Amino acid sequence: MSRDAPIHSWPGSYYINNEKRWESGTLSLTRTMVRFISSQSKECLSSFRLSRIMEIKMESSSFIFSTLTVLEEGNVKHWFGSLKPNRVAVFNVLEHFWRERLLSPTSEARGAECHPSKGRELINLVVGAQRRLEDTGRVLSHQGEQFDNMMQGLEKIDSDLELESPSWWPFGKLPWKTQQEAKAEDAAKAAAAISAGKVSSRSKVITSIPAVLSKGGDSDLKPGCLLVLVSSLEVRDTNCHLLHRFERNEIDEIRVHSPYEITVRQRFIGKPDICYRFLSAKMPEAMSVLEMQYKKKMELTSEYAAFKATPLSSPSDKEGTNWNEGKAAVFGPFAMLNINLTTEWQ
């Protein structure tokens, strides 16, 4: 039975608890699973569902190690080290897909968890509340910008009124200017209304998705969000601060690596291109909009073709296997002094 195609993969090493040693290989994230495949034996050393993860942490030892740990249901702890490009990037991607899995589990995940634990329910509540706070903060930030613009407009109108008539004229506007200015005012209001309508429609947000993003390669993947507007694409961080805006007519290409990963590029002559990479569990929701707006600029890569050609795993596949199953690897490799020092450490 074919396995899911990986959304992303990273070279690294995995700690085999019952053999007290590290094994080099590849850590892979799929639609529903996390797997580690040995580079020597090509055997799957660890495999578990995203829905079974209880905690993802970055841990370190006072001796040598700098690792990423994943706690699975049943108190099974998995240790991953020597991750490339770095463990922070891997952590951000895994946490994003795990969080989105908790918020909107598929029917397959629900089937595997007919009776969720109290801990899982609490996690869902906390993560859901955090997402709602993020959304509320984003809305308030936009409303604050609109309010600032409105206040600036009112201040300009007030200053214009003060300069409209000379101080010695006691009756308001000068009579010979009244009709002329009334017409000019009406024309200005009409033009402003049309302009405001255009600006408002151009800045309308069609969809917004949480994402893990980087400017350039994979080494600096950080959480943020991608906003698809009528006239542009906006890249924002977790605090909703604008990192970059791609105007619609300035985008040269959108490369689709998988249904969950895209790269947006703006080319320049005489200076480096601006390129952002986006990974998101919600990317399929934005893809339909991107296809409509940027159809001629979208390019499906060979990675995408390979991803789509790989069938989904059968729902009857095992929930996941690992060499540590049944063992509560609480202390992990840090408790062992006879470690394999041939591993490449971070």
Side-chain angles (χ1 to χ4, degrees), residues 67-304:
T67 65
L68 179 70
T69 63
V70 179
L71 182 63
E72 185 188 356
E73 287 181 359
N75 202 29
V76 179
K77 197 167 189 177
H78 305 273
W79 299 79
F80 302 97
S82 305
L83 294 166
K84 296 186 184 313
N86 56 70
R87 65 169 182 162
V88 177
V90 180
F91 172 83
N92 287 333
V93 174
L94 287 181
E95 187 190 44
H96 166 80
F97 279 88
W98 171 53
R99 174 185 289 188
E100 294 303 322
R101 191 72 177 173
L102 289 176
L103 290 174
S104 55
T106 62
S107 56
E108 182 182 358
R110 289 193 188 101
E113 292 186 336
C114 296
H115 303 288
S117 65
K118 293 293 182 182
R120 171 110 14 223
E121 291 175 358
L122 287 172
I123 290 173
N124 291 342
L125 287 172
V126 171
V127 176
Q130 182 178 349
R131 175 57 51 79
R132 285 192 293 272
L133 285 172
E134 291 173 355
D135 293 340
T136 302
R138 193 173 296 116
V139 171
L140 289 174
S141 176
H142 287 305
Q143 289 178 347
E145 291 176 3
Q146 293 173 353
F147 183 79
D148 288 341
N149 294 335
M150 183 181 69
M151 289 302 296
Q152 290 174 6
L154 289 174
E155 288 172 2
K156 187 177 184 304
I157 291 172
D158 186 51
S159 63
D160 290 344
L161 288 174
E162 288 177 1
L163 297 173
E164 192 170 304
S165 302
S167 57
W168 51 265
W169 184 256
F171 305 110
K173 291 185 178 180
L174 298 173
W176 57 84
K177 289 190 175 181
T178 302
Q179 291 184 350
Q180 182 181 356
E181 290 185 355
K183 291 180 181 179
E185 260 182 56
D186 291 342
K189 287 179 181 177
I194 293 171
S195 176
K198 288 181 179 178
V199 171
S200 177
S201 63
R202 285 172 58 83
S203 61
K204 181 180 179 182
V205 177
I206 300 174
T207 186
S208 172
I209 59 170
V212 184
L213 53 95
S214 70
K215 188 175 182 180
D218 295 337
S219 60
D220 194 30
L221 285 164
K222 297 178 181 178
C225 64
L226 170 65
L227 277 70
V228 183
L229 290 79
V230 172
S231 62
S232 62
L233 298 180
E234 288 188 356
V235 187
R236 294 181 177 266
D237 62 16
T238 51
N239 296 319
C240 206
H241 295 148
L242 181 66
L243 301 177
H244 186 74
R245 179 184 289 109
F246 290 99
E247 295 296 338
R248 186 171 177 175
N249 59 346
E250 294 176 348
I251 294 176
D252 290 296
E253 69 174 17
I254 299 177
R255 293 174 61 84
V256 183
H257 304 280
S258 78
Y260 306 96
E261 184 174 5
I262 65 171
T263 300
V264 181
R265 184 182 299 275
Q266 179 182 356
R267 292 193 177 93
F268 295 93
I269 298 174
K271 63 178 183 177
D273 298 349
I274 295 178
C275 179
Y276 274 89
R277 196 178 188 98
F278 302 91
L279 259 168
S280 176
K282 299 290 186 182
M283 189 63 74
E285 298 177 10
M287 200 71 77
S288 57
V289 180
L290 293 173
E291 285 174 347
M292 290 176 61
Q293 287 194 305
Y294 303 95
K295 185 176 182 180
K296 294 181 179 180
K297 298 180 180 180
M298 294 189 73
E299 178 186 344
L300 303 180
T301 64
S302 57
E303 300 167 273
Y304 180 85

